[in-house]
Amino acid sequence: MVRLFSVIFVSKDLHKRLLMKHQEECKQVDFQKISLPKEGEVLEFKEYKKTERHSFVIYADFECLTRKVNTCEQNPEVSSTNRYQQMEAYSFGYQRVSIDERYEKPPVIHRGPDVIETFIDTLLEEEREIMGILSHNEPMIVNEFCLLEKSVYRTRMNTIRSDNHKIFAQTMIKKSLVPFDDKRWILDDGITTRAYGHKDNTNI
């Protein structure tokens, strides 16, 4: 459900057509408009360009026991809050994944007392290790065979995507190095390039 609240503001850049549409909709409701998807319509996330890929991600989950709490019945004529169950964590599990497979770890499972404290201490240790990895700059490896032999190299990536409210783990293979440069003209040696429109490109 999407709630659009009426807000009064003045902006010289506001499009006049959008303002008129907003005013017409505000006349038909009291203070908010409820917009629901149509029957059979599926909401889907499409703004992938606004997402940001991170070097490390930790997926974690807790398992809890539900214990009954001694309480008394509240007066239904008076507003009140009644606690009747307490969640007690007894185990956790997490897995560290990375865009670089060298730094990934197998799943970690812990069960026992002081679950929350142990989980926090473990994450702090993971943080120290990750910060140590990120503080080390590795030199970029340039594959000269890509240019000299005109070879195309592809990279395998593991991602998690949602499609029609169903979550999938998938493997993608995409081009990572290609010998063709569509922004510059590659000369006969396969390495030297010139910009299009260069004065020496008369014989090309």
Side-chain angles (χ1 to χ4, degrees):
M1 180 175 65
V2 180
R3 294 183 176 181
L4 303 178
F5 290 88
S6 177
V7 180
I8 300 176
F9 58 92
V10 178
S11 174
K12 63 179 180 180
D13 298 326
L14 183 63
H15 199 286
K16 184 177 180 180
R17 179 173 55 85
L18 295 178
L19 177 59
M20 294 177 62
K21 180 181 178 181
H22 175 76
Q23 291 174 340
E24 288 298 324
E25 292 179 347
C26 281
K27 294 177 182 178
Q28 302 175 12
V29 296
D30 294 331
F31 66 95
Q32 68 180 21
K33 174 187 174 183
I34 300 177
S35 178
L36 298 174
K38 299 178 181 178
E39 184 177 356
E41 184 179 358
V42 177
L43 299 179
E44 183 178 0
F45 180 75
K46 299 180 180 179
E47 298 294 333
Y48 293 104
K49 62 179 180 294
K50 297 181 180 179
T51 60
E52 182 179 358
R53 194 177 186 186
H54 296 277
S55 302
F56 290 89
V57 178
I58 293 179
Y59 298 96
D61 185 34
F62 281 87
E63 295 295 335
C64 298
L65 295 175
T66 303
R67 299 188 183 277
K68 187 176 181 180
V69 177
N70 293 327
T71 183
C72 58
E73 186 175 352
Q74 303 294 328
N75 184 358
E77 303 297 330
V78 181
S79 299
S80 61
T81 300
N82 185 23
R83 294 181 178 178
Y84 60 93
Q85 287 181 344
Q86 181 179 358
M87 309 297 179
E88 294 184 3
Y90 70 89
S91 69
F92 69 82
Y94 75 89
Q95 183 172 11
R96 188 180 84 183
V97 297
S98 172
I99 57 176
D100 191 331
E101 295 181 354
R102 296 177 299 170
Y103 302 124
E104 291 188 350
K105 280 187 173 182
V108 176
I109 307 296
H110 173 81
R111 177 180 294 179
D114 301 326
V115 172
I116 302 299
E117 292 80 358
T118 304
F119 178 72
I120 294 176
D121 293 339
T122 306
L123 284 190
L124 291 176
E125 181 61 31
E126 290 285 353
E127 180 189 18
R128 286 189 287 268
E129 185 175 343
I130 291 173
M131 294 304 297
I133 296 173
L134 296 178
S135 63
H136 175 67
N137 295 324
E138 294 189 3
M140 181 180 294
I141 300 176
V142 180
N143 195 326
E144 65 274 11
F145 295 104
C146 177
L147 293 176
L148 299 179
E149 298 183 1
K150 294 181 172 54
S151 302
V152 177
Y153 290 84
R154 289 175 169 82
T155 301
R156 181 187 302 270
M157 299 180 296
N158 296 324
T159 63
I160 297 177
R161 290 292 176 88
S162 173
D163 184 14
N164 291 334
H165 299 283
K166 296 180 181 179
I167 300 178
F168 299 91
Q170 62 186 27
T171 298
M172 303 173 61
I173 300 178
K174 291 190 174 183
K175 292 180 181 179
S176 55
L177 286 176
V178 294
F180 177 70
D181 188 349
D182 60 350
K183 302 296 188 296
R184 298 179 63 85
W185 188 270
I186 303 176
L187 301 184
D188 294 336
D189 60 3
I191 298 177
T192 309
T193 64
R194 292 199 194 114
Y196 286 104
H198 192 276
K199 63 182 181 64
D200 294 334
N201 290 352
T202 55
N203 296 328
I204 297 177

